[in-house]
Amino acid sequence: MNPTPPFEAQDRPARLTVGVVGAGRVGPALAAALQLAGHRPVAVSGVSDTSVRRAAELLPDVPLVAPAEVLARADLVLLTVPDDALAGLVSGLAETGAVRPGQLLVHTSGRYGTGVLDPATRAGALPLALHPAMTFTGTSVDVQRLAGCSFGVTSPDELRMAAEALVIEMGGEPEWIAESARPLYHAALAIGANHLVTLVAQSMELLHDAGVQAPDRMLGPLLGAALDNALRSGDAALTGPVARGDAGTVAAHVTELRRHAPQSVAGYLAMARTTADRALAHGLLKPELAEDLLEVLADADDGPGTTPGTPGTPGPDPDAPGHGPGGGGR
């Protein structure tokens, strides 16, 4: 293989050989998008049968090799492993001499900026954090969904133009995130995306229990309108019994949930309090109605199945960082 020429950050990236370490839902899709832009995937690593199958579908004829060999073959390497595995992977690759000077090393974790790549940077790698703010299915549809997708980008100043060019080539839109703001940025996406999935799935279950034959069809127009209104108007889009201060209706909700779905009471109460606080702060909820509503919510906390004054303990989040919004994407 010819030596990699020095990378000039101010130039649009030349056609690069691309490698993927971690054939989860994200890496093969991004490599496929880069391939459409003229870059050339040359190596991918994956362990599970699902990863191997996904790589074969999205990157046909690209050889499956060990992580160190991916770095040996590629000018641009996508590190698309779970968040908690990223630091150890980078350290291991740097310690074993797998990192080559001038090599672009890109991770897709929402949680981290470029600091997690420091061991590789000291070995001469060019570090980029490019996080697509999208949930991934692990299929070819993800490549199409990248069109217009925002990427949370963190990079050294001298690599900003290179980072921007790569994101645009994948069809995305770069949003610059400071290194120190990455955890807050990722938390925001988790609240919006991961928790949304939980809420929608829970709502569908409750509608099914209430006798609705097609919960998805019922919720589709309602949730689509609610999301559109929220994105356009923020808190001004709040509707429903909490925002109106209908304490009696909220009390009836809690009673029914305790009877039919006690596991959802804690989440309902937590979201109702948050909604009430935001509606009150934005002048949507009248203070005199808020008092009655908050009394109902406080009393509900003392009901069976909860500890007074605290919400119940949530179960594990299957979409936590590490593939995920989170998917994110991550």
Side-chain angles (χ1 to χ4, degrees):
M1 182 174 179
N2 293 330
T4 304
F7 189 89
E8 296 297 331
Q10 68 269 21
D11 297 332
R12 184 175 184 272
R15 302 306 86 189
L16 302 168
T17 54
V18 178
V20 179
V21 176
R25 297 181 181 183
V26 178
L30 296 188
L34 288 168
Q35 185 173 34
L36 290 175
H39 301 288
R40 185 165 62 92
V42 293
V44 60
S45 73
V47 177
S48 69
D49 292 341
T50 302
S51 296
V52 172
R53 186 165 54 251
R54 184 180 295 121
E57 291 173 355
L58 288 173
L59 301 172
D61 302 323
V62 175
L64 195 73
V65 299
E69 183 61 21
V70 173
L71 270 71
R73 298 186 184 194
D75 305 317
L76 165 63
V77 180
L78 301 171
L79 303 179
T80 54
V81 298
D83 289 2
D84 288 348
L86 181 58
L89 171 66
V90 174
S91 295
L93 291 172
E95 289 171 2
T96 57
V99 178
R100 292 185 287 110
Q103 186 170 49
L104 277 166
L105 214 55
V106 178
H107 78 71
T108 59
S109 167
R111 172 184 172 187
Y112 294 110
T114 56
V116 71
L117 298 174
D118 280 350
T121 303
R122 289 192 291 270
L126 306 175
L128 299 176
L130 308 180
H131 174 249
M134 186 182 81
T135 58
F136 286 76
T137 65
T139 66
S140 58
V141 71
D142 296 331
V143 181
Q144 302 167 19
R145 287 179 175 173
L146 286 171
C149 170
S150 292
F151 279 65
V153 179
T154 305
S155 75
D157 289 343
E158 63 272 18
L159 294 176
R160 282 175 67 99
M161 291 185 67
E164 182 178 49
L166 288 170
V167 169
I168 291 173
E169 286 190 326
M170 287 186 282
E173 296 287 342
E175 286 283 350
W176 300 99
I177 310 296
E179 181 85 17
S180 60
R182 292 292 291 208
L184 179 61
Y185 154 80
H186 196 224
L189 294 180
I191 289 172
N194 298 160
H195 296 175
L196 176 63
V197 173
T198 300
L199 291 171
V200 173
Q202 190 176 70
S203 180
M204 287 199 296
E205 288 176 358
L206 294 172
L207 286 172
H208 182 270
D209 292 345
V212 175
Q213 295 300 307
D216 54 342
R217 188 170 64 222
M218 176 175 281
L219 285 173
L222 173 66
L223 298 185
L227 177 59
D228 184 63
N229 290 341
L231 292 174
R232 291 173 183 271
S233 305
D235 288 298
L238 281 171
T239 63
V242 173
R244 290 192 300 266
D246 292 342
T249 299
V250 171
H253 287 177
V254 174
T255 298
E256 286 301 297
L257 290 175
R258 287 203 193 284
R259 182 177 300 139
H260 298 286
Q263 72 279 4
S264 46
V265 172
Y268 180 94
L269 293 176
M271 290 304 300
R273 285 193 203 91
T274 301
T275 301
D277 288 343
R278 297 188 73 89
L280 185 61
H282 288 81
L284 303 174
L285 176 59
K286 296 178 181 179
E288 61 271 21
L289 296 178
E291 185 175 349
D292 291 341
L293 177 65
L294 294 174
E295 284 183 6
V296 167
L297 295 174
D299 291 342
D301 248 344
D302 296 332
T306 63
T307 300
T310 60
T313 301
D317 177 6
D319 284 327
H323 291 288
R330 297 184 61 86

